[in-house]
Amino acid sequence: MRIPLLPLFILALPLLEIAGFVVVGREVGAPATVGLVLASSIAGALLLRYQGFGVMTRVRAEMDAGRDPSRQLAHGAMIVLAAILLIIPGFITDILAILLLLPPVRDLAWRRLKGRIVMATSFGTGGFRARQRDKTIDLDDSDYSRGDEHGPDSPWRRLKDK
């Protein structure tokens, strides 16, 4: 029987973080430990704020060039995840965040995850296709009413009578 490791890691993470606080606090002292945690949280918040706009700019540039933006989207999502991990107090989450900030690590993660992700778009060689607007329904004032009364030939009456 195979036990999934991710749920076990998530359950053990708070205990590992507490152990990390104790070890770091013993080496550098309690005030320095609190300072490191606050500094990483502030860095994560700043990273989240500034990288969000940069990701959207890079995705837009890829789309304008007619290329698939999925890699840029994945890298942006990993940068946002790294920022969130930096905001969470703890040294283990900070180490994971720093790893996610390294482009080779993000590329490795993207290569491993690419096969599991399905893009549901109409992206082609010419970029994203605009939605066709040839099926416009134009109503006159007499065709539209807010009341519950419909004319005898109304399709709504036929649905209601069935």
Side-chain angles (χ1 to χ4, degrees):
M1 183 162 105
R2 184 171 176 218
I3 300 172
L5 296 178
L6 185 62
L8 289 177
F9 178 72
I10 291 173
L11 289 174
L13 185 61
L15 298 174
L16 294 171
E17 292 290 8
I18 292 170
F21 285 134
V22 170
V23 169
V24 172
R26 191 177 325 139
E27 293 297 321
V28 298
T33 303
V34 172
L36 285 171
V37 170
L38 288 176
S40 72
S41 294
I42 291 170
L46 291 173
L47 180 70
L48 189 60
R49 180 177 181 173
Y50 292 115
Q51 286 297 317
F53 294 116
V55 167
M56 294 312 294
T57 303
R58 290 189 300 270
V59 167
R60 174 49 85 191
E62 289 291 315
M63 288 173 37
D64 289 343
R67 294 187 296 261
D68 182 12
S70 60
R71 180 180 177 273
Q72 293 299 325
L73 282 170
H75 276 250
M78 286 184 256
I79 289 172
V80 168
L81 177 63
I84 291 170
L85 287 173
L86 279 173
I87 292 171
I88 296 171
F91 295 110
I92 295 173
T93 53
D94 290 350
I95 292 168
L96 292 174
I98 290 169
L99 287 174
L100 275 177
L101 290 175
L102 299 173
V105 174
R106 289 196 312 262
D107 283 334
L108 176 69
W110 171 239
R111 282 194 301 270
R112 297 207 35 136
L113 293 174
K114 186 176 17 177
R116 296 181 180 189
I117 296 174
V118 177
M119 283 191 54
T121 63
S122 58
F123 187 81
T125 57
F128 285 99
R129 290 188 217 120
R131 202 172 82 182
Q132 295 179 354
R133 301 192 184 272
D134 58 342
K135 295 183 180 181
T136 303
I137 299 173
D138 191 17
L139 297 176
D140 294 330
D141 289 338
S142 62
D143 295 335
Y144 175 78
S145 68
R146 290 186 183 261
D148 289 335
E149 298 124 19
H150 301 290
D153 296 331
S154 170
W156 294 107
R157 181 169 299 282
R158 282 182 263 161
L159 288 174
K160 197 162 67 168
D161 292 340
K162 285 187 179 182

